[in-house]
Amino acid sequence: MAAVGAPQISDAFGAIAHPIRRQIVTALASGEKSVGVLAAPLPVSRPAVSQHLAVLRGAGLVTEERAGRERRYRLRPESLNDIRHWLDTLDEFWSDRLAALADHLAEAP
Amino acid sequence: MIVDGRVVHEVDYAHPPERVWRALVDSAELSIWLMATDFVAEVGHRFTLQGGPELGQVQGEVLHVEPPRLLRCRWSGTLGDTVVEFALSPSATGTHLRLEHSGWDEEHLDWRRQFHDGWDTKFSDELLAVLDK
């Protein structure tokens, strides 16, 4: 398990904050794809998709492979596991804190 | 709950919004239920939160203050660059609180700031996508 704050996890959290990048990640969940195939159903230009892919690569969520003149992209499953784990930790943190808020309000209304 | 890569919690408190709001912005109260802090609810104010093992130390910045309805802050540090938002609304039993903690995305955040109230999330996402061209 990667430590909290390892650059890739925090970068990945920011990377998936964008809806287009979430759609790209969803599309790659069913297998590797080229930029063209990824861009086709999206309401943004191909250069914009390439830019989003660069952000996803920088965050360690996606890898790029050249197959001849084509570039193909694939999800890194380890990163997805790391980010899922981080989200679970954060989810639990807030469950605990918001319950503590209830206790605090009860004690000091 | 994890929704669209964000942590979202919706909780009801049997206290009026003004009371719940006070617990979100008063540093003495925050230090009791959240983390030790020097928080002040002023846009632009920078604060720290002495995090525990989960989040480490947090450097924060107040982004948006709308008592007693909306508080949005940037939380950065070992947890990365993130945004925490509390939205309060009155309910039959007191206050409904919605907490959202998401990763920081500069471009996305500007539009969400502007279109926060009353906009359907899906519509604003589509709008963002069109503007991205």
Side-chain angles (χ1 to χ4, degrees), chain A residues 19-54 56-57 62-65 70-75:
Chain A
I20 294 292
R21 289 197 287 269
R22 284 199 297 274
Q23 289 185 58
I24 292 172
V25 167
T26 304
L28 289 175
S30 54
E32 65 164 31
K33 295 185 169 62
S34 65
V35 180
V37 168
L38 287 168
L42 294 174
V44 296
S45 68
R46 194 182 284 219
V49 172
S50 291
Q51 215 166 12
H52 286 300
L53 284 164
L56 288 167
R57 282 174 62 214
V62 153
T63 55
E64 177 193 78
E65 250 173 52
E70 209 181 44
R71 294 176 203 221
R72 302 185 68 78
Y73 295 86
R74 175 199 298 266
L75 281 181

Side-chain angles (χ1 to χ4, degrees), chain A residues 4-6 9-11 13-23 43-45 48 52 84 86-102 104-106 108-109, chain B residues 1-2 4-9 11 13 15 19-20 23-24 29 32-35 54-55 75 78-82 84 86 97 99 101-105 107-108 125 128-130 132-133:
Chain A
V4 171
I9 295 179
S10 54
D11 292 343
F13 194 31
I16 62 171
H18 195 292
I20 294 292
R21 289 197 287 269
R22 284 199 297 274
Q23 289 185 58
V44 296
S45 68
H52 286 300
R84 266 187 213 117
W86 162 234
L87 286 170
D88 286 342
T89 302
L90 199 56
D91 194 34
E92 210 176 293
F93 168 83
W94 281 113
S95 265
D96 291 346
R97 296 299 99 226
L98 294 174
L101 174 56
H104 169 66
L105 289 168
Chain B
M1 238 180 90
I2 294 157
D4 281 347
R6 286 163 268 180
V7 170
V8 178
H9 282 275
V11 188
Y13 294 99
H15 300 265
R19 175 64 192 100
V20 179
L24 299 180
E29 294 202 52
I32 294 170
W33 69 270
L34 183 60
M35 288 180 268
E54 307 100 334
L55 301 192
W75 283 23
T78 47
L79 85 167
D81 218 2
T82 70
V84 172
F86 293 100
L97 180 149
L99 171 281
H101 196 160
S102 56
W104 175 272
D105 178 71
E107 177 192 324
H108 187 46
D125 281 354
L128 272 169
V130 166
D132 209 30
K133 272 198 171 103

